[in-house]
Amino acid sequence: GTGKDQEEPGFALPEAAFGSFPFRIRQKEMSLVLGESGQGKTTLLSYMMLHLMAQGMKAVIASMEMAPETVLETLLRQLLGVKRCVDTDNGKRLFTAAVTWLNSRCEILDFRGIIQHRQLLDEFKRAAGRGATLFSVDNLNKLGLMEDDMAAHGQAANDFFGFAVQCNAHIFMVNHLNKAGGTRGSLRWTDVSDNVMRIDRNDKKWEKLGPGLQLLKDRQISHDEFQQTYKDEVKAWDGKFILKKQRLQGSLQNGARTLWFLFNGSQYA
């Protein structure tokens, strides 16, 4: 059942960040992840996918903006919860174990720049044949689609959605918002997607914290003085996950969850 007294079907989001927020990731669905540039979409999506891998999903990540090494570094940092492993035998064992864990659960495609969407889908289909069930495309601007070519956007949106259904997979499609807050490209991506989510960052918090962090770095104030002076800003949220659409009948259609960013491990709470 999917009534309000029933647990949502599907794979859970990170509990430390989302708690009992009633939204799950389900196979045979496509999710559209929206946000302005630099709002933390990629980092949060990486953290979500890491937890989905821990629940048995095998992932394929297509990031046409970042080198595979950068994608891997973020995943390792989030998995280990530290920026760098200590250069000891135990630190090396932890690092090796983390790489081994990811290697059995994740493929990172070495695509940079523009790629035609059918070429990417062919690669996804081959990966699905190897057992992959979780896919991400970051981002739609790299699929070789002209922004004003509505027919091409509509065809691509339906092709990726069809792939998710046919291959019993879940696919995340990342798209930047334009300056007016609208979706770049065709609204058909929004129409076709089962779920639409937006990621926002609390820029005002860090504008206020900036001067104090510089004073702290320069040792002009103590850590206790910083905490006391900026206690309100420190408590403020860092990011916000906004669920704008969920197609599952009887489920929460709209909602939001505030998040706090943990810098050392690039994690969320």
Side-chain angles (χ1 to χ4, degrees):
T2 58
K4 68 176 183 178
D5 295 329
Q6 300 290 330
E7 184 177 352
E8 289 281 340
F11 295 91
L13 298 176
E15 184 177 1
F18 289 90
S20 58
F21 188 76
F23 175 62
R24 298 288 183 100
I25 300 301
R26 294 170 289 272
Q27 291 172 241
K28 297 187 177 182
E29 290 190 1
M30 183 167 78
S31 292
L32 184 62
V33 184
L34 302 174
E36 295 177 14
S37 181
Q39 294 295 297
K41 299 183 300 297
T42 300
T43 305
L44 180 57
L45 180 56
S46 172
Y47 191 54
M48 290 164 58
M49 292 184 72
L50 193 67
H51 282 76
L52 296 170
M53 292 180 220
Q55 296 171 72
M57 301 188 84
K58 292 189 176 181
V60 175
I61 299 173
S63 175
M64 280 72 78
E65 291 187 331
M66 294 190 296
E69 295 84 359
T70 303
V71 177
L72 177 60
E73 181 181 354
T74 299
L75 287 166
L76 285 170
R77 185 179 299 179
Q78 292 175 330
L79 179 59
L80 292 166
V82 294
K83 191 172 183 178
R84 288 182 176 83
C85 286
V86 181
D87 190 14
T88 63
D89 288 343
N90 188 52
K92 293 174 183 177
R93 280 194 294 269
L94 282 172
F95 178 81
T96 301
V99 172
T100 302
W101 190 92
L102 282 173
N103 191 52
S104 65
R105 294 166 173 84
C106 180
E107 295 182 24
I108 304 171
L109 301 184
D110 190 9
F111 289 148
R112 300 289 298 280
I114 303 296
I115 180 173
Q116 299 303 311
H117 87 272
R118 288 188 175 89
Q119 181 185 353
L120 182 58
L121 272 173
D122 286 342
E123 194 64 45
F124 279 4
K125 290 173 184 176
R126 285 190 284 271
R130 298 190 292 270
T133 55
L134 179 65
F135 298 82
S136 73
V137 178
D138 191 359
N139 61 64
L140 300 188
N141 294 334
K142 300 297 184 180
L143 293 181
L145 303 170
M146 298 298 292
E147 193 164 325
D148 60 352
D149 191 342
M150 300 298 108
H153 276 278
Q155 183 63 60
N158 280 289
D159 287 347
F160 279 104
F161 172 76
F163 162 77
V165 174
Q166 293 164 12
C167 295
N168 193 31
H170 189 98
I171 183 166
F172 289 104
M173 307 296 297
V174 178
N175 198 12
H176 292 315
L177 293 173
N178 58 33
K179 292 182 179 180
T183 304
R184 290 185 177 178
S186 172
L187 288 175
R188 289 177 175 85
W189 288 101
T190 302
D191 296 338
V192 170
S193 298
D194 297 278
N195 314 293
V196 178
M197 58 200 75
R198 174 172 172 160
I199 312 300
D200 285 346
R201 187 179 67 178
N202 189 356
D203 290 324
K204 291 183 179 179
K205 172 181 178 176
W206 295 102
E207 288 173 6
K208 293 178 181 178
L209 282 178
L213 289 171
Q214 187 61 50
L215 291 173
L216 186 63
K217 181 180 179 180
D218 296 339
R219 299 184 180 181
Q220 295 183 31
I221 60 173
S222 67
H223 185 269
D224 289 342
E225 289 173 328
F226 172 82
Q227 291 290 333
Q228 181 61 34
T229 304
Y230 296 94
K231 59 183 179 181
D232 293 334
E233 287 78 7
V234 169
K235 292 177 182 178
W237 55 271
D238 293 306
K240 184 177 290 185
F241 175 93
I242 304 170
L243 180 63
K244 300 174 67 68
K245 168 188 173 183
Q246 183 177 191
R247 188 171 285 161
L248 183 68
Q249 292 297 316
S251 62
L252 176 74
Q253 297 302 305
N254 297 282
R257 181 81 178 185
T258 51
L259 306 168
W260 282 262
F261 187 61
L262 310 177
F263 282 90
N264 198 35
S266 295
Q267 300 172 337
Y268 289 86

